[in-house]
Amino acid sequence: MSKKRVSIFASGSGSNAQKFFEFFEKDKDIEIVSVFTNNKSAKVIERASRFDIPSFVYNRTYWETGESIIELLKKQNVDYIVLAGFMLLIPEQLVEAYPDRIFNIHPALLPKFGGQGMYGMNVHKAVKAAQETESGITIHYVNENYDEGKIIAQVKCSILSTDSAEEIAKKVLKVEHENYPKVIAEVVRKSI
Ligand code: GRF
């Protein structure tokens, strides 16, 4: 049987994307076939090229309807899309083209600390300001709204009152790296 084909969408460093490249490098069921980005200087491009994975850059205008992107995804026979630090809203047409086949990770325990403007350090600063004793990650399906798709998994980590927002970010990123590829592998394998 042919492998399930996954594309990663990322806008920045791509440390999560890197974990996917490593995790699935020799997988018998699942293959990372491409990276899509809106940022031609994203570090993820270089990370992907080290694994011989091609990257495709589309500027913001293309993401408004997603038409050309959907066309290329279909040409690449992509089955699933993983958002890993992708900063633009996924257009409705693309969500419709991949129902329950687009995944995202949010660096907090949704529904808290989600929604528009809640990305990067904003999230961890808000968690710190709210004096939370735990944070963590939420892996969820993507729908047309930010951070509102059905939740697949949440993993927590504890926060000390002395932790800075930067320290919280570090703890959460570690939980992302340890869990994101593993959880997606489980979901995709279930469909095989
Ligand atoms: C991660 O914290 C992820 O949760 C968020 O964006 C960040 C991406 O980091 N959506 P990286 O590019 O994978 O290093």
Side-chain angles (χ1 to χ4, degrees):
M1 213 195 47
S2 61
K3 287 187 184 183
K4 291 292 174 193
R5 298 170 64 81
V6 177
S7 185
I8 310 261
F9 289 10
S11 301
S13 156
S15 71
N16 277 285
Q18 167 99 26
K19 295 291 166 191
F20 277 83
F21 305 152
E22 291 166 4
F23 192 95
F24 292 109
E25 199 177 7
K26 296 195 169 77
D27 197 272
K28 63 179 192 356
D29 304 317
I30 298 163
E31 183 179 6
I32 309 297
V33 295
S34 56
V35 167
F36 281 70
T37 182
N38 60 308
N39 175 8
K40 64 178 187 330
S41 335
K43 196 169 155 203
V44 68
I45 298 173
E46 193 205 314
R47 291 188 195 261
S49 74
R50 271 188 248 129
F51 287 79
D52 282 328
I53 296 168
S55 294
F56 301 88
V57 182
Y58 283 90
N59 69 32
R60 186 179 278 272
T61 324
Y62 286 93
W63 294 94
E64 276 160 23
T65 67
E67 236 165 77
S68 327
I69 295 158
I70 295 168
E71 222 168 88
L72 185 53
L73 287 166
K74 295 287 176 193
K75 214 185 264 173
Q76 294 176 359
N77 292 318
V78 167
D79 299 300
Y80 292 91
I81 296 165
V82 169
L83 309 187
F86 185 70
M87 298 305 287
L88 301 179
L89 188 65
I90 297 297
E92 211 172 309
Q93 273 194 51
L94 182 42
V95 176
E96 280 163 11
Y98 284 90
D100 285 346
R101 285 167 179 261
I102 309 179
F103 310 106
N104 187 34
I105 189 161
H106 185 76
L109 300 170
L110 291 173
K112 281 182 169 181
F113 311 108
Q116 202 152 13
M118 277 295 173
Y119 60 86
M121 283 309 293
N122 295 354
V123 177
H124 307 297
K125 281 182 190 157
V127 169
K128 169 82 186 158
Q131 299 180 312
E132 296 287 320
T133 55
E134 56 183 22
S135 188
I137 61 165
T138 304
I139 297 167
H140 63 92
Y141 291 103
V142 170
N143 65 18
E144 299 78 5
N145 302 319
Y146 283 101
D147 304 330
E148 282 182 14
K150 202 172 105 217
I151 292 175
I152 298 167
Q154 293 189 302
V155 185
K156 294 177 180 173
C157 60
S158 56
I159 297 175
L160 306 173
S161 58
T162 51
D163 282 345
S164 63
E166 286 72 19
E167 281 162 332
I168 297 172
K170 223 185 249 175
K171 284 185 178 177
V172 171
L173 192 63
K174 184 162 177 272
V175 179
E176 294 187 33
H177 291 166
E178 287 166 355
N179 290 278
Y180 199 12
K182 200 172 76 184
V183 167
I184 298 308
E186 278 167 24
V187 175
V188 173
R189 264 191 250 287
K190 265 189 212 152
S191 76
I192 296 175

